[in-house]
Amino acid sequence: MVAPRHTPATPATTVTRAGHPLPDAPPYDVTVIGAGVVGTAIARALSHHPLRTALVEATDDIANGTSKANTAILHTGFDAAPGTLEARLVREGQRLLSAYAARTGIPVDRVGALLIAWDREQLDALPALLAKAERNGYPAARLLDAEETAAREPHLGPGALGALEIPDEAVICPWTTPLAYATEAVLAGVHLHLDCPVQHIAYAEGLHTLTTARGTLRTRLLINAAGLHADAIDRLLGLDTFTVRPRRGQLIVFDKLARDLVHHILLPVPTAAGKGVLVAPTVFGNVLLGPTAEDLDDKDATESTAEGLAQLREKGRRILPRLLDEEVTAVYAGLRAATGQEDYRITAHPDRALITVGGIRSTGLTASMAIAEHVVSLLPGAGLDPGEPAEPAPLTLLGLGETSDRPYLDAGLIARDPAYGTVVCHCERVTEGEIRDALASVLPPRSAAGLARRTRAGNGRCQGFHCGATLRARIEEARP
């Protein structure tokens, strides 16, 4: 097994947090607002160029919004609207992220997907979806009859008439991906400013002045990757081209004992409201059911509801009846940045030295690296020459997947450092060594939730009942 790599802590001035004013520094060449999976991917891409770059995040951690609460599917883009920017970037992003994940240790399970037809209307729609996949450059999809569908998924509910097989759909770790992007960016010199909500922006004489809760910073070019708040950031600059209406997706996480019930990502035939309710394995060994698709007005409405969970259970009972007999480990909800347009809203505004990256919905994780490359290609047109790129230093993070090389199984590693043999979170088999490494890393967590996203500690069937106090104590001890 491969030992975890100890990533050295970065200088304190590169990552700043609440309680400290922003550094009095010369203007940045470019500043990215929003440290979700898209913003961190853009920061990583910019870090390869000779640019002074800042990444500004309103909360106390990266990937603290939509990026931490999604279905974690690595899409092929088979069902995207052909010819759209989203279709192209999802296709390119899937290729880029698959290769990046293999290099960095991000867990990916290529389980494939079945788009299940439950009635004659849905069955008749499958050939058109197959043709759409081919127009999107994905020729591997194929139609299955009822018998083959049942053979592939023997625990399906009764009445499945057939399916469209998408063999290259996969599930990925949604937490390690932005962590890898942000870590690489910071190690390459990007300044990450956390706890730094943007309150006002003034643009004059070729410079943006951002007023934040922790002071001001100046930048030549601004990239708005603020997700749910991208419309508000644009309006601070006098633009009113779209409105983000949050679309809530609630999900149920079933215990690992349910994993053998499902072999593929089980998708419904999509509708205008979204891709619908699915059943999917996770790289952590659980099974997901969801999401709902609820259009709301509140951009903080991430609570689960009895009505939403009941709706999921009703739909899940048809898809995979035995799943409803399994134990529930957790429920959660995330908000997607719906804008009323079925495509990304990525636009350069040269007169304002601004690039807006908005309307990035459920495919944003898959497309993140391609979105970043696309944004870098827009820099010259927005008034900034990025210069020649340099090869990034290699980065390897500890794999969090259920099939990854986990430290508690590595006798050689434990012999060298017994901390990797001391299990703290027994549900997820997370060791003292992993928790120590996360708290001493380039981007250490500031909360139990942040530690869970870096190590899985507290995410198991007891939800931290056994180890929660110990984890919180470790975090407090590590605070500077």
Side-chain angles (χ1 to χ4, degrees), residues 155 253-262 284-287 322-323 325-329 402 428-429 461:
H155 299 293
V253 183
F254 288 89
D255 187 79
K256 292 175 173 51
L257 293 175
R259 178 63 182 85
D260 289 341
L261 295 177
V262 61
F284 312 117
N286 300 93
V287 177
R322 286 183 54 186
L323 183 62
D325 296 329
E326 300 293 331
E327 294 290 332
V328 171
T329 296
E402 193 73 354
E428 296 296 296
R429 300 176 180 87
R461 54 176 62 105

Side-chain angles (χ1 to χ4, degrees), residues 48-219:
H48 302 163
H49 296 265
L51 298 168
R52 291 194 71 254
T53 300
L55 176 60
V56 173
E57 166 57 35
T59 70
D60 68 351
D61 203 356
I62 63 161
N64 230 357
T66 299
S67 300
K68 73 178 181 184
N70 53 65
T71 53
I73 293 177
L74 185 57
H75 297 278
T76 58
F78 78 96
D79 59 345
T84 60
L85 179 63
E86 180 179 17
R88 175 170 70 84
L89 296 183
V90 169
R91 186 168 58 249
E92 294 175 4
Q94 192 262 359
R95 176 182 58 82
L96 291 170
L97 183 49
S98 295
Y100 185 72
R103 293 196 306 271
T104 57
I106 297 169
V108 174
D109 287 344
R110 184 177 168 272
V111 293
L114 298 180
L115 195 72
I116 309 290
W118 294 99
D119 58 38
R120 176 56 59 178
E121 182 180 0
Q122 293 177 4
L123 186 67
D124 291 343
L126 293 184
L129 288 166
L130 174 63
K132 177 187 274 191
E134 292 169 347
R135 290 200 305 276
N136 279 322
Y138 185 74
R142 71 185 191 96
L143 297 171
L144 307 181
D145 62 20
E147 183 178 359
E148 190 169 4
T149 300
R152 295 294 188 89
E153 289 289 346
H155 299 293
L156 272 180
L161 301 179
L164 179 66
E165 181 189 25
I166 315 295
D168 296 297
E169 293 278 298
V171 290
I172 188 170
C173 177
W175 305 324
T176 316
T177 304
L179 180 63
Y181 294 161
T183 300
E184 186 177 325
V186 168
L187 288 173
V190 171
H191 289 191
L192 172 60
H193 301 304
L194 299 168
D195 305 296
C196 201
V198 175
Q199 300 166 334
H200 180 71
I201 305 173
Y203 182 59
E205 298 180 358
L207 283 178
H208 292 284
T209 300
L210 277 62
T211 302
T212 79
R214 294 179 46 221
T216 62
L217 63 81
R218 294 173 297 157
T219 188

Side-chain angles (χ1 to χ4, degrees), residues 187-315:
L187 288 173
V190 171
H191 289 191
L192 172 60
H193 301 304
L194 299 168
D195 305 296
C196 201
V198 175
Q199 300 166 334
H200 180 71
I201 305 173
Y203 182 59
E205 298 180 358
L207 283 178
H208 292 284
T209 300
L210 277 62
T211 302
T212 79
R214 294 179 46 221
T216 62
L217 63 81
R218 294 173 297 157
T219 188
R220 293 169 57 198
L221 181 76
L222 195 60
I223 297 176
N224 173 9
L228 291 165
H229 303 281
D231 54 346
I233 295 297
D234 263 15
R235 288 185 182 117
L236 291 177
L237 288 156
L239 293 170
D240 190 7
T241 55
F242 65 91
T243 297
V244 173
R245 189 176 184 196
R247 181 171 293 156
R248 181 168 61 194
Q250 301 183 49
L251 295 107
I252 302 174
V253 183
F254 288 89
D255 187 79
K256 292 175 173 51
L257 293 175
R259 178 63 182 85
D260 289 341
L261 295 177
V262 61
H263 307 303
H264 303 77
I265 302 163
L266 304 181
L267 301 169
V269 176
T271 68
K275 298 181 184 298
V277 173
L278 58 83
V279 174
T282 75
V283 296
F284 312 117
N286 300 93
V287 177
L288 286 182
L289 171 63
T292 57
E294 310 158 57
D295 288 324
L296 308 173
D297 295 318
D298 184 356
K299 294 181 180 181
D300 296 313
T302 56
E303 65 273 5
S304 298
T305 67
E307 180 183 6
L309 298 179
Q311 175 190 338
L312 292 180
R313 294 181 69 87
E314 179 183 353
K315 292 182 180 294

